[in-house]
Amino acid sequence: MLFATFCGFLAVSNAWAQSSTVDAYISTESPLAKAGLLANIGPSGSKSSGALSGIVIASPSNVNPDYLYTWTRDSALVFQTIIDQFTLGLDTTLRGEIDNYVGAQAIIQQISNPSGTITTGGLGEPKFNIDETAFTGAWGRPQRDGPALRSNALITWANFLLSENNSTYVTNTLWPIIQNDLNYVAENWNQSTFDLWEEVDSSSFFTTAVQHRSLRQGVQLANAIGQTSVVSSWTTQAENLLCFLQSFWNTAGYITANTGGGRSGKDANTVLASIHTFDAAAGCDVLTFQPCSDAALSNLLTYVDAFRSVYSINSGIAENAAVATGRYPEDSYQGGNPWYLATFAVAEQLYDSLIVWNAQGSLNVTSLSLPFFQLFDSSVAVGTYASSTSTFTTITAGVQDYADGFVEIVAQYTPSYGELSEQYSKTDGSQLSAVDLTWSYASALTAFDARAGITPASWGASNLTSTCGTSTGSGGDTVAVTFNVDATTVFGENIYICGSVDALQNWDPDTALLLSSADYPIWSITINLPASTDIQYKYIRKDGSSITWESDPNMEITTPASGSESYTENDTWR
Ligand SMILES: *[C@@H]1O[C@H](CO)[C@@H](O)[C@H](O)[C@H]1NC(C)=O
Ligand SMILES: *[C@@H]1O[C@H](CO)[C@@H](O)[C@H](O)[C@H]1NC(C)=O
Ligand SMILES: *[C@@H]1O[C@H](CO)[C@@H](O)[C@H](O)[C@H]1NC(C)=O
Ligand SMILES: *[C@@H]1O[C@H](CO)[C@@H](O)[C@H](O)[C@H]1NC(C)=O
Ligand SMILES: *[C@@H]1O[C@H](CO)[C@@H](O)[C@H](O)[C@H]1NC(C)=O
Ligand SMILES: *[C@@H]1O[C@H](CO)[C@@H](O)[C@H](O)[C@H]1NC(C)=O
């Protein structure tokens, strides 16, 4: 008892100390991180090593590891940070950088590369040379999160410009880039992808989550600027993505990061997905795994605890205090150490949660999130706690201290000149792997902003529903059906499908669903259809405004019973 009281006293006093430590760290690190980030952007960044205008280098490191390339993912996350800072009025000097990025991405999209051309899959190429030529070496490709993240950043920019009445630039310059990316997402989300760590070729939660966000945001922008021809097919695929997103939930209480890879699946992938799809207007919505949803908090706890025993710098740290975290506990890349951006992401998810709880004036404890909340109040019970209750005060103060603890870990292992590499040593916290990682700097800035209560623009996560139900992945009363059709086309022609049910657009050729030609001449699409139902359909061929239907009669399928494995229909164009 005496011991417990003593520990409790220490935890509280330490928490106060952490908070002021973090304040001091942020005030020195914030400008250094901003400068470090801008130094890595061409043409004039001091460490950008000759990168062309608007090109973000991943790191100036050109040997062990060689990161002197530009990744579509990293660049988009860096520019999401820059665009948020500019559009939220935090830094009014960044407009020229944003214009340069837009110019560079318009060029990068058109570069033929080992993944294909712009119309045959090239948008999934993960990285390019910094002189805007294709990287032709062996690599984990494609990586299908890149186009989604780029469009998310550009749509944030577009929405700001619309508020400035600059719709000409949005329609003429931004929309063509966004539309290329989102057509790619709509056509290819159901194909396998390398994950954000470029190692596992399967389906990946992060990729699916950011793809879902991109199509929702894209539909809103399309409606806002009158580009409505894409709305129906992008909405259909967004609904399919939201359904698929649920299937990553693991009943052990966390999100399995990848469907392949042969690991535990506990991975910063899922925490990063939560912060990069944060939408405060959606509250603690579980369908989109918002940062304060019970599923995302349970996942956070599982992820953090996976690192307690794998890094020796974490030994001896109390179970309810922050530790260093990395990509995933089985990681061995460059020694398999903690990553700054992963540790910052944990803090950011917690700060995002505090933003919502404070705005809503309450927090919910469910049986799923109970173990998380017990870190801060061992006697807390399932229920709703209004901000007037002492439980709310105790928990939010505890979460703030816990979150600050992750920033303090980073602070402890940041050198005095503020440099952030990719990794810090699991045995002594010293800097390892690529120096000056641009994404590390971006992750510092977004975590600091979230701690200050700064809320990014909404992307439309509110009020969504899924026929799949929440977090079960059971498919409800629908069943996934893949349609493959062998169809030879000429340049400019695409294959679509429509049919007798809502999910097949009720025979409307204008809104028929586009199939993917990734395995040409096989065109393919996966659609969630009502189970145990007779459904008629046809493929159609479109070239601009010209439409050709398959010959009669209609094709027919009886879908399997709900709960069945997915089903594949193989057809040949008639
Ligand atoms: C945009 O146009 C609207 C309607 O004409 C006007 O009320 C608003 O002030 C304009 N905004 C800016 C930033 O110019
Ligand atoms: C619209 O925004 C673009 C991009 O920043 C800028 O170049 C252009 O001058 C703006 N146009 C107007 C009318 O403000
Ligand atoms: C395609 O979507 C179906 C239905 O959601 C899903 O079962 C399947 O795993 C997905 N495959 C890929 C590679 O995304
Ligand atoms: C708590 O749960 C109630 C009822 O399910 C819901 O209306 C409310 O938005 C939730 N609040 C938070 C902060 O999750
Ligand atoms: C979501 O639905 C609720 C209830 O209909 C409504 O009050 C709220 O404004 C909606 N939120 C958004 C962002 O549309
Ligand atoms: C379609 O082809 C796939 C793979 O070639 C096969 O697994 C599947 O059973 C086929 N579907 C039908 C209905 O025969």
Side-chain angles (χ1 to χ4, degrees):
M1 187 59 211
L2 183 65
F3 181 71
T5 309
F6 182 59
C7 282
F9 172 74
L10 262 189
V12 170
S13 82
N14 190 32
W16 284 106
Q18 283 178 3
S19 200
S20 57
T21 306
V22 171
D23 287 342
Y25 175 64
I26 291 177
S27 68
T28 54
E29 183 62 22
S30 190
L32 295 173
K34 174 72 73 62
L37 177 145
L38 294 174
N40 287 354
I41 303 175
S44 44
S46 61
K47 295 185 178 174
S48 64
S49 309
L52 295 185
S53 170
I55 292 293
V56 181
I57 63 168
S59 152
S61 172
N62 60 3
V63 61
N64 191 31
D66 181 3
Y67 282 10
L68 197 48
Y69 296 96
T70 189
W71 270 261
T72 300
R73 170 184 39 259
D74 296 41
S75 304
L77 290 170
V78 164
F79 267 92
Q80 182 78 57
T81 306
I82 289 177
I83 289 167
D84 283 346
Q85 290 228 336
F86 182 82
T87 56
L88 296 169
L90 302 172
D91 184 340
T92 56
T93 69
L94 298 169
R95 189 167 193 143
E97 299 281 356
I98 300 169
D99 289 339
N100 290 347
Y101 173 67
V102 172
Q105 297 312 304
I107 294 167
I108 290 269
Q109 278 194 332
Q110 303 289 337
I111 300 171
S112 294
N113 62 65
S115 295
T117 67
I118 186 164
T119 55
T120 64
L123 294 174
E125 181 70 1
K127 71 174 192 182
F128 294 83
N129 296 320
I130 64 173
D131 65 354
E132 295 174 347
T133 59
F135 168 75
T136 54
W139 209 252
R141 59 168 68 92
Q143 295 177 21
R144 304 189 199 272
D145 54 344
L149 292 165
R150 177 167 52 205
S151 61
N152 288 341
L154 293 181
I155 294 170
T156 307
W157 182 226
N159 290 338
F160 172 80
L161 293 176
L162 290 180
S163 77
E164 279 199 330
N165 297 333
N166 193 342
S167 61
T168 310
Y169 182 82
V170 171
T171 300
N172 295 346
T173 303
L174 296 181
W175 178 253
I177 306 171
I178 292 165
Q179 193 178 13
N180 287 336
D181 279 340
L182 293 186
N183 279 336
Y184 177 86
V185 171
E187 290 166 33
N188 293 289
W189 69 267
N190 201 218
Q191 309 286 327
S192 69
T193 177
F194 275 86
D195 68 322
L196 77 172
W197 310 134
E198 321 195 278
E199 293 171 343
V200 180
D201 185 13
S202 65
S203 296
S204 182
F205 182 78
F206 177 84
T207 304
T208 301
V210 300
Q211 288 177 333
H212 173 247
R213 171 180 167 169
S214 73
L215 290 180
R216 297 285 181 192
Q217 258 186 305
V219 166
Q220 290 185 346
L221 178 64
N223 280 322
I225 62 172
Q227 299 283 344
T228 50
S229 66
V230 297
V231 165
S232 174
S233 84
W234 290 2
T235 302
T236 299
Q237 298 311 338
E239 284 166 1
N240 289 337
L241 276 156
L242 183 58
C243 174
F244 185 41
L245 193 68
Q246 311 310 311
S247 70
F248 291 86
W249 180 251
N250 182 320
T251 51
Y254 66 97
I255 302 160
T256 304
N258 301 307
T259 56
R263 306 173 189 150
S264 62
K266 300 170 187 172
D267 194 314
N269 169 319
T270 60
V271 180
L272 289 162
S274 192
I275 63 173
H276 291 300
T277 57
F278 174 45
D279 182 345
C284 299
D285 174 53
V286 70
L287 209 51
T288 53
F289 295 91
Q290 287 301 309
C292 59
S293 64
D294 58 357
L297 294 173
S298 174
N299 178 67
L300 181 97
L301 178 60
T302 306
Y303 161 77
V304 168
D305 284 348
F307 295 92
R308 291 189 182 277
S309 60
V310 300
Y311 301 149
S312 61
I313 55 171
N314 289 341
S315 66
I317 295 180
E319 281 299 310
N320 63 351
V323 289
T325 69
R327 301 193 303 177
Y328 51 92
E330 302 87 350
D331 196 2
S332 61
Y333 173 67
Q334 293 274 335
N337 294 284
W339 284 42
Y340 290 112
L341 68 89
T343 311
F344 271 131
V346 176
E348 186 169 336
Q349 186 185 329
L350 296 164
Y351 295 138
D352 288 347
S353 299
L354 287 164
I355 288 172
V356 172
W357 292 327
N358 287 322
Q360 296 204 351
S362 71
L363 63 81
N364 290 333
V365 178
T366 68
S367 55
L368 180 56
S369 57
L370 185 63
F372 169 81
F373 287 106
Q374 283 172 332
L375 294 180
F376 317 108
D377 180 350
S378 57
S379 60
V380 68
V382 168
T384 296
Y385 298 93
S387 55
S388 55
T389 62
S390 62
T391 302
F392 182 93
T393 308
T394 303
I395 286 176
T396 51
V399 171
Q400 178 78 41
D401 289 343
Y402 184 57
D404 281 354
F406 291 91
V407 179
E408 203 199 345
I409 299 265
V410 173
Q412 186 180 348
Y413 300 123
T414 303
S416 57
Y417 46 96
E419 197 233 302
L420 296 177
S421 55
E422 179 186 75
Q423 307 186 19
Y424 53 104
S425 162
K426 62 188 169 192
T427 53
D428 65 11
S430 60
Q431 301 232 322
L432 292 174
S433 191
V435 296
D436 285 309
L437 191 81
T438 325
W439 187 359
S440 293
Y441 292 126
S443 74
L445 295 173
T446 56
F448 298 164
D449 286 349
R451 184 174 189 264
I454 290 158
T455 310
S458 172
W459 57 266
S462 315
N463 296 343
L464 301 175
T465 53
S466 170
T467 50
C468 297
T470 52
S471 304
T472 62
S474 70
D477 56 357
T478 65
V479 53
V481 176
T482 299
F483 291 89
N484 291 326
V485 59
D486 188 333
T488 306
T489 49
V490 299
F491 186 77
E493 275 182 348
N494 286 299
I495 303 294
Y496 295 71
I497 187 171
C498 61
S500 60
V501 289
D502 285 352
L504 288 171
Q505 309 300 112
N506 295 311
W507 291 117
D508 179 2
D510 293 333
T511 60
L513 306 173
L514 177 61
L515 277 67
S516 165
S517 59
D519 297 319
Y520 183 84
I522 307 297
W523 294 72
S524 182
I525 190 170
T526 301
I527 305 167
N528 295 308
L529 293 176
S532 307
T533 306
D534 290 327
I535 291 171
Q536 301 204 334
Y537 65 96
K538 262 189 184 180
Y539 299 102
I540 60 182
R541 187 183 287 264
K542 292 199 209 182
D543 186 354
S545 57
S546 125
I547 296 181
T548 313
W549 290 81
E550 271 191 300
S551 58
D552 286 334
N554 293 334
M555 310 283 283
E556 195 161 20
I557 180 180
T558 302
T559 56
S562 95
S564 308
E565 291 295 299
S566 54
Y567 179 83
T568 303
E569 169 73 16
N570 306 303
D571 297 321
T572 302
W573 171 272
R574 263 187 346 221

